[in-house]
Amino acid sequence: MNAAEFVARLKTGRHYSGQIAAVRCIAERVADYAAPQTPLADALKRLLCEIGAERLYWHQARAYDEIAAGRDIVVSTGTASGKSLCYHLPVLGGLLADAERTALYLYPAKALAYDQLGGLSRMVEQAGLSELVRPACYDGDTPTHQRPGIRRSANLLLSNPDMLHQSILPYHAKWAGFMARLKYVVLDEIHTYRGIFGSHVAGVVRRLQRVCRHYGASPQFICCSATLGNPRELAERLTGREMVLIDRDGSPRGRKWFVLWNPPYLDGPTRVARRSGNVEAQELMRRLIEEGAGTITFTKARVVAELIYRYVVDALQRRRPDLAKRVRSYRGGYLPLERREIEQQLFSGELLGVCSTNALELGIDVG
């Protein structure tokens, strides 16, 4: 689909009433590669070859060097820029250098932790590191009979702030060995920790640091965020520690179009009430799908995601019945098997459209 032509057609449509408030096009960008100054272990070089990342982007190499130097960092780069490798690589290197070390990854959602565990386990297996690196998820879905074994054997734990608050820190004596050897704490998707929730997470992180000090540990903190105006300030408030900011994105990027759409006024000259943004969104989504463009419509509430999904499907059944089956909704509350099915349909290209809450952003590697 040609984005410029599509925007032009929108402006000539019979329902167009000046909804487009602004249009910006950001040019494509080539990759900015760099080599870390700190030597990579042979096992990490093999790992990079296995996953097809023989060369690191600038921000990945910089993150590796800063972490190797013992500094706390926050990485703020775009979607699909390889932020996960910014912490996977140095953490795996640290565990290889000292088999007694442990690491804790905290994600805002259980689904994202399991998604990351799958990718991490494949990386460890491909590099032949299964005996040295033992990752495991520990959250509310972890069967009770498996928990003692995870506490004893896992040296890379994936969890979430709620589980840390409710089931790990209150029973820190059971985790004494893990806490005493804790070297790295990763806080991913920190842009979600805002408002009251963010204040609570900041309190939990400080409790974690007190417990670590009790057992003689002082872990490094590695934070990752979507692009924000103040990523370092947010990371420092969450952790209470001074951070090194890495926000120069070295990943390649295709051309991007941003179109700000403002629903039209319904009452003419009085200019008080506007048309529903949900109605505008479903109309735009329907037109994009008819153009063959893969489309994700994000909403703030589950019920809105379901409503827009129903509106789009109804409209497509009247106009393009063949496309109606290629649209799904995605939100919290679905069974894990349902979510995995939708994700696989999206990855394979079977789906053209998804109406979702932020469960899609926080539940999978959306990039």
Side-chain angles (χ1 to χ4, degrees):
M1 185 191 76
N2 186 301
E5 293 179 359
F6 180 74
V7 171
R9 287 198 297 274
L10 288 176
K11 291 182 176 180
T12 58
R14 65 189 182 91
H15 295 296
Y16 182 74
S17 302
Q19 290 99 317
I20 295 179
V23 179
R24 297 289 185 274
C25 178
I26 299 179
E28 62 272 14
R29 180 182 64 204
V30 298
D32 182 6
Y33 295 105
Q37 299 299 311
T38 308
L40 291 171
D42 291 339
L44 296 183
K45 293 178 182 178
R46 290 197 304 271
L47 171 61
L48 291 175
C49 290
E50 289 288 342
I51 64 176
E54 291 84 355
R55 293 193 294 172
L56 297 179
Y57 300 137
W58 187 92
H59 60 280
Q60 294 170 336
R62 172 76 185 283
Y64 188 86
D65 285 333
E66 294 291 350
I67 294 169
R71 301 185 183 96
D72 300 321
I73 70 166
V74 54
V75 180
S76 179
T77 55
T79 301
S81 60
K83 286 193 291 291
S84 297
L85 203 59
C86 288
Y87 56 82
H88 284 331
L89 207 58
V91 168
L92 292 177
L95 298 183
L96 289 176
D98 184 352
E100 294 299 312
R101 291 174 174 172
T102 60
L104 174 63
Y105 288 7
L106 294 177
Y107 298 96
K110 290 186 293 185
L112 183 56
Y114 278 103
D115 183 75
Q116 289 288 337
L117 175 65
L120 183 61
S121 298
R122 287 190 295 272
M123 289 171 59
V124 169
E125 185 177 351
Q126 288 173 343
L129 305 176
S130 301
E131 294 184 3
L132 296 174
V133 182
R134 301 177 299 279
C137 264
Y138 193 90
D139 58 28
D141 292 342
T142 304
T144 303
H145 68 276
Q146 293 181 8
R147 296 185 180 190
I150 292 175
R151 286 196 294 267
R152 286 192 304 269
S153 62
N155 60 354
L156 202 167
L157 194 71
L158 293 83
S159 189
N160 56 73
D162 293 310
M163 194 67 177
L164 182 64
H165 166 64
Q166 293 182 347
S167 298
I168 297 179
L169 293 180
Y171 309 100
H172 58 80
K174 295 181 179 180
W175 293 90
F178 185 91
M179 293 295 180
R181 296 178 283 116
L182 187 59
K183 174 62 177 175
Y184 305 103
V185 176
V186 174
L187 298 175
D188 201 7
E189 308 287 354
I190 64 168
H191 58 279
T192 62
Y193 300 138
R194 59 185 183 271
I196 294 176
F197 179 46
S199 299
H200 289 171
V201 172
V204 172
V205 170
R206 281 158 176 75
R207 284 178 58 206
L208 171 63
Q209 294 182 69
R210 288 199 300 272
V211 169
C212 289
R213 287 195 296 270
H214 175 72
Y215 291 106
S218 180
Q220 280 180 261
F221 278 80
I222 306 165
C223 301
C224 291
S225 167
T227 49
L228 291 174
N230 60 341
R232 179 162 53 195
E233 179 186 2
L234 175 60
E236 291 179 344
R237 289 191 175 188
L238 277 173
T239 63
R241 301 165 73 106
E242 184 176 349
M243 290 279 164
V244 174
L245 173 62
I246 301 174
D247 59 356
R248 175 178 157 190
D249 193 339
S251 63
R253 181 183 65 197
R255 181 181 299 177
K256 290 184 178 182
W257 288 80
F258 290 84
V259 180
L260 298 186
W261 188 274
N262 204 10
Y265 288 103
L266 292 175
D267 46 4
T270 58
R271 300 171 71 85
V272 175
R274 290 185 181 272
R275 191 182 185 204
S276 167
N278 298 337
V279 175
E280 296 283 290
Q282 67 89 13
E283 177 67 16
L284 285 170
M285 185 176 186
R286 191 263 309 165
R287 295 189 63 168
L288 284 163
I289 290 172
E290 289 180 348
E291 292 278 343
T295 306
I296 301 176
T297 299
F298 282 106
T299 70
K300 289 187 176 182
R302 297 178 180 184
V303 65
V304 178
E306 295 288 351
L307 281 173
I308 292 179
Y309 162 70
R310 177 48 53 196
Y311 293 156
V312 171
V313 169
D314 288 347
L316 288 173
Q317 284 176 340
R318 292 191 299 270
R319 301 166 58 93
R320 291 286 304 276
D322 57 311
L323 296 178
K325 295 180 180 179
R326 300 185 67 184
V327 182
R328 295 288 297 270
S329 60
Y330 187 100
R331 57 173 175 76
Y334 285 176
L335 294 173
L337 287 178
E338 292 178 301
R339 292 200 301 269
R340 298 291 91 81
E341 178 188 6
I342 297 171
E343 291 161 12
Q344 290 305 315
Q345 290 176 339
L346 186 60
F347 298 155
S348 66
E350 182 180 345
L351 290 183
L352 263 182
V354 176
C355 304
S356 177
T357 61
N358 66 350
L360 187 62
E361 177 200 0
L362 300 178
I364 63 171
D365 184 351
V366 72

